[in-house]
Amino acid sequence: MGTGRVSDLGEFGLIARLRESVVNSARVVCGIGDDAAVLEGPAEGLLLFACDTIVEGVHFVPEDRPEDVGHKALACNLSDIAAMGGVPRGATLSLGCAPDTAVEVIDGLWAGMRALAEAFDVDLVGGDMHRSRCGLLLSVAIVGEVERELCVYRKGAKPGDFVVVTGALGGSRAGRHLTFMPRVRAGRWLAEHRLASAMIDVSDGLASDLRRVCEAGGVGAEIQAARVPISDDVKNAGDTERTPLEHALFDGEDFELLVAVPPSLLDEAASDFFAQFGERLHVLGRITAERKIILIQDNGTAQELSAGGFDHFG
C-alpha cells in the first residue's frame, strides 16, 4: 500500500501509478495512456473506448446553461474518439444530482447531449443515476470504431515531422470550453488520408499535451511562439496576469487536435484541409530527436517549455 497524498503525485503521476499494476490481455491493443483505449474488435476493425467526467465547481458553475453543460459532457468524449481517427457510435451517461435539483435542469442537460449526439450520429444508449451531495456530476462513456490501419496514436511522431494544430487556442476562459465543437470530422479525415503520424486533443493545454506526444514517441519538439494561433477572445480579454500566449500554451480545454504531420505530406495536408473544412492548419514547429520541448520567442531566444497545463491534483 502507498503512503502520502494524491496531491503529492499529481494527476498524471497517479495515472502512471495505477497503470504500473495493470497487466492487459491480448485483446488490448492500447490501454492506459492515450486519448482512448483500443481493443480488438469482433472482426478486422478495432473498438475505441473512452470516458470523461465533468463536475460542478470544477468544469462548470451553476450559472452555466444546462444545455451547454450537457453539450460539453458528450463533446469531451467525442474529442477523444476524434484524436484516434475514429468514428463514435454510442454513449452512456451516469448522472449525479441532488434530490431537489429542478427537473428543467436535467431536461436541459439531456437536450444539450441529444443535439450533439444527433449531429454526429451517436446513439445515447443508457447509463446510471445516483444521489450527489456535491452538486451535479456527469460521467459519459463512449464507444467508437476505427480500422486497424487508420488508428492514430500519440506515439507515432518522428523527428522532422511538423507540429500542427487545427485551430486557435486559449479561448476556454471566455466560455468556449462549454460550446466547442469536437473535431470528429477533422480527425477522421486526417486518419483516412493517412496524414497524421501522431495525434492528441488539446484538453490540458498545448504545452502539456505536446509533451505527452513527445514522451509517447521518445522525441522532443521545437515550436515558434509567433506561430501559436491565439483565440481572439483571449486577445481581447485584457488579462494583466498572463499573456495571450500563456493562455494559449497552458489553459487547456481548447479541444483542438494537435497533430504530427510527416514533412512530405504537409503541403497536401494543408491545402486539402482548407479545401475540405474552409480552415487552415496552423504549423507551430517541428518534432526533434532531442527529448526537450523548446519554445522559440519572437526575438529568437529559446527556452525549454514547462508542461504547465491543467492538473486536477496539482
Side-chain angles (χ1 to χ4, degrees), residues 24-309:
N24 291 129
S25 71
R27 294 188 302 270
V28 180
V29 178
C30 179
I32 298 170
D34 216 305
D35 287 271
V38 184
L39 307 176
E40 292 287 354
E44 293 301 314
L46 300 172
L47 294 177
L48 303 174
F49 181 80
C51 61
D52 267 296
T53 300
I54 65 170
V55 180
E56 184 177 320
V58 178
H59 302 95
F60 63 94
V61 295
E63 294 75 25
D64 289 327
R65 293 178 66 247
E67 292 81 1
D68 291 341
V69 175
H71 172 101
K72 177 176 182 173
L74 180 58
C76 293
N77 286 267
L78 290 170
S79 186
D80 285 332
I81 301 299
M84 310 298 293
V87 179
R89 293 304 188 195
T92 62
L93 168 66
S94 292
L95 173 67
C97 64
D100 62 352
T101 302
V103 172
E104 53 263 39
V105 170
I106 307 304
D107 287 345
L109 297 173
W110 193 239
M113 284 190 66
R114 281 202 334 268
L116 190 61
E118 290 171 4
F120 288 100
D121 193 25
V122 175
D123 294 307
L124 300 177
V125 294
D128 183 36
M129 292 188 181
H130 58 88
R131 177 195 297 260
S132 171
R133 301 185 186 277
C134 57
L136 286 170
L137 180 151
L138 294 85
S139 185
V140 173
I142 193 166
V143 293
E145 59 188 21
V146 65
E147 298 86 346
R148 186 180 305 275
E149 67 276 11
L150 298 186
C151 191
V152 185
Y153 302 91
R154 296 178 182 178
K155 63 185 180 182
K158 300 291 189 297
D161 285 354
F162 284 93
V163 178
V164 172
V165 71
T166 55
L169 307 174
S172 62
R173 294 294 178 92
R176 188 177 179 273
H177 69 103
L178 287 171
T179 59
F180 71 94
M181 192 60 67
R183 292 288 198 167
V184 175
R185 296 184 178 95
R188 181 63 179 166
W189 183 87
L190 287 163
E192 287 180 329
H193 289 78
R194 292 174 167 80
L195 296 172
S197 55
M199 191 154 57
I200 190 173
D201 72 331
V202 184
S203 56
D204 293 312
L206 173 62
S208 182
D209 291 318
L210 176 57
R211 185 169 302 277
R212 291 195 186 115
V213 169
C214 290
E215 289 176 348
V219 294
E222 186 176 281
I223 62 173
Q224 302 282 335
R227 293 187 176 184
V228 176
I230 301 173
S231 166
D232 288 338
D233 291 325
V234 73
K235 287 179 181 178
N236 300 329
D239 187 345
T240 57
E241 295 184 3
R242 301 183 86 177
T243 67
L245 177 62
E246 287 173 327
H247 282 290
L249 291 173
F250 302 121
D251 280 2
E253 294 213 305
D254 291 299
F255 297 101
E256 296 292 342
L257 295 177
L258 179 65
V259 191
V261 178
S264 62
L265 301 178
L266 180 66
D267 289 344
E268 175 188 350
S271 62
D272 290 356
F273 188 88
F274 186 83
Q276 180 71 25
F277 299 103
E279 303 175 71
R280 69 185 186 93
L281 290 173
H282 302 269
V283 181
L284 311 184
R286 303 289 287 266
I287 297 293
T288 62
E290 187 178 10
R291 297 188 180 189
K292 294 181 179 180
I293 311 294
I294 303 297
L295 178 69
I296 308 297
Q297 299 284 1
D298 294 354
N299 61 7
T301 60
Q303 66 183 85
E304 190 166 354
L305 187 63
S306 62

